[in-house]
Amino acid sequence: MNKVRTKKALVSYLDHARKQGLSIGFVPTMGCLHAGHLSLVRRARKENDIVVVSIFVNPLQFGKNEDFTQYPRVEKQDAALCKKAGVDIVYLPDQKTFYGEHFYTTVHVSHITNTLCGAVREGHFDGVATVVLKLFQQIQPTRAYFGQKDYQQVIVIKQLVRDLDCDVKICVCPIVRESDGLALSSRNTYLSGQERVNATCIYRALKETRGMVRDGQAKVAQIKRKMRSLLSAHVDKIDYLEIVDAETLANVSVLQGHIVVLVAVYVGTTRLIDNLVMRVTK
Ligand code: AMP
């Protein structure tokens, strides 16, 4: 496995691979890797000749009062996990030089970023779209792998790829959970013992929704009321709780077709997100 820190070293390795006709699978991450990230890596390993994992805590996607400086950075541990998973290149761009001194470009995907995380985290998806497009330009992957855990992010990246004709296939991987249902996240490391217990209410509330839908409850307002009461007993703040169309992220009032339930809550000072996709047929 190669650890690469500069664009020059990365591009020279990948140019060589491309000339040999090899396919490139790319997994962008911010590090502190867990089984969720590794499920993306595993799929990339299965489907491509070369696997590149980037580890970069992207300052552009953090708001002023968010956890950029606190975000866990465990490079050695991450590199060991990547090596074990059969990754060919770990790309660790330098925080200072990745964007350069005079970096003036922002990629903005409109409409679908006005809601959910986009509505409460100003500029977040500009930061995500900018770093992902920049990484796509450098790596020119055949396929790129994203987790359904960050549902809105997937929709934003797919839109970006469509709008700007990026020649890459976006592959979406299911959410990996702890045995009690909590979705794996690098931010789970922030949780105290009691907060970790409280956080399990997120998946319970999502499952309760699925149960209600299966039992024939079709009214979004009623489902949201029930979820809100389940969540508010254990979390400190509900950032949002929405049921939307799974492709457009538009609000739905009646449960029908391909929909997604999305939740963002604070447990203590830690912000956690999760979601559940459903296909509702009458
Ligand atoms: P991050 O390091 O948080 O930026 O995540 C990097 C990638 O891993 C993103 O595409 C995430 O959606 C994905 N990911 C994070 N947590 C999970 C999880 N629990 N299950 C599946 N994918 C995940």
Side-chain angles (χ1 to χ4, degrees):
M1 186 184 79
N2 275 294
K3 252 191 197 182
V4 165
R5 294 184 194 275
T6 64
K7 180 176 105 180
K8 198 168 165 215
L10 175 79
V11 168
S12 107
Y13 184 103
L14 292 177
D15 274 355
H16 185 69
R18 251 187 305 273
K19 276 194 195 113
Q20 294 176 279
L22 301 179
S23 60
I24 299 166
F26 172 42
V27 182
T29 82
M30 297 205 298
C32 192
L33 303 182
H34 50 62
H37 297 111
L38 295 175
S39 71
L40 275 55
V41 172
R42 234 187 341 268
R43 179 150 167 220
R45 181 68 285 163
K46 218 182 276 169
E47 296 177 351
N48 301 276
D49 299 312
I50 301 279
V51 175
V52 182
V53 172
S54 66
I55 299 178
F56 182 63
V57 184
N58 173 34
L60 296 188
Q61 70 189 71
F62 287 78
K64 271 195 209 89
N65 300 315
E66 293 183 2
D67 54 342
F68 175 66
T69 49
Q70 193 194 347
Y71 200 85
R73 291 160 170 87
V74 285
E75 187 188 309
K76 271 203 185 130
Q77 182 184 308
D78 288 346
L81 287 170
C82 285
K83 192 169 178 193
K84 203 167 158 217
V87 171
D88 297 291
I89 303 180
V90 179
Y91 180 35
L92 298 141
D94 177 58
Q95 281 286 349
K96 289 208 184 82
T97 54
F98 181 70
Y99 287 116
E101 209 182 327
H102 303 287
F103 189 84
Y104 296 150
T105 303
T106 300
V107 181
H108 176 68
V109 178
S110 66
H111 293 77
I112 49 174
T113 57
N114 295 338
T115 169
L116 304 165
C117 285
V120 282
R121 300 184 71 188
E122 202 193 330
H124 170 68
F125 286 115
D126 287 0
V128 169
T130 304
V131 77
V132 169
L133 183 58
K134 190 168 169 66
L135 288 167
F136 281 178
Q137 293 290 95
Q138 295 182 352
I139 295 165
Q140 294 174 42
T142 317
R143 301 178 189 86
Y145 296 81
F146 293 86
Q148 185 207 305
K149 159 87 175 7
D150 296 270
Y151 194 87
Q152 191 175 16
Q153 172 170 283
V154 167
I155 299 290
V156 169
I157 300 300
K158 282 182 170 172
Q159 185 76 39
L160 163 80
V161 162
R162 252 195 324 272
D163 289 351
L164 299 182
D165 307 306
C166 301
D167 191 13
V168 55
K169 180 173 170 13
I170 302 301
C171 306
V172 184
C173 304
I175 302 176
V176 177
R177 301 179 179 281
E178 301 280 8
S179 53
D180 60 10
L182 180 67
L184 295 188
S185 163
S186 306
R187 289 189 169 98
N188 292 353
T189 57
Y190 300 156
L191 299 170
S192 71
Q194 186 55 52
E195 288 170 349
R196 172 67 186 74
V197 173
N198 292 346
T200 57
C201 74
I202 303 168
Y203 188 55
R204 276 203 307 278
L206 287 170
K207 276 198 309 190
E208 177 74 20
T209 304
R210 190 167 52 197
M212 285 175 84
V213 173
R214 280 185 184 156
D215 290 345
Q217 177 58 266
K219 290 195 183 114
V220 169
Q222 291 213 14
I223 291 173
K224 280 169 79 172
R225 198 173 313 127
K226 174 78 185 180
M227 277 192 87
R228 200 168 284 280
S229 88
L230 283 172
L231 289 170
S232 47
H234 303 283
V235 308
D236 294 274
K237 184 184 163 196
I238 299 175
D239 230 1
Y240 62 73
L241 158 56
E242 298 293 349
I243 303 179
V244 300
D245 181 281
E247 265 111 57
T248 64
L249 303 184
N251 278 317
V252 295
S253 53
V254 178
L255 293 174
Q256 184 63 55
H258 193 199
I259 55 161
V260 56
V261 188
L262 299 126
V263 177
V265 297
Y266 279 87
V267 178
T269 53
T270 305
R271 186 172 184 278
L272 300 174
I273 58 171
D274 202 346
N275 65 79
L276 194 74
V277 175
M278 284 184 280
R279 283 184 194 275
V280 186
T281 46
K282 282 230 165 131

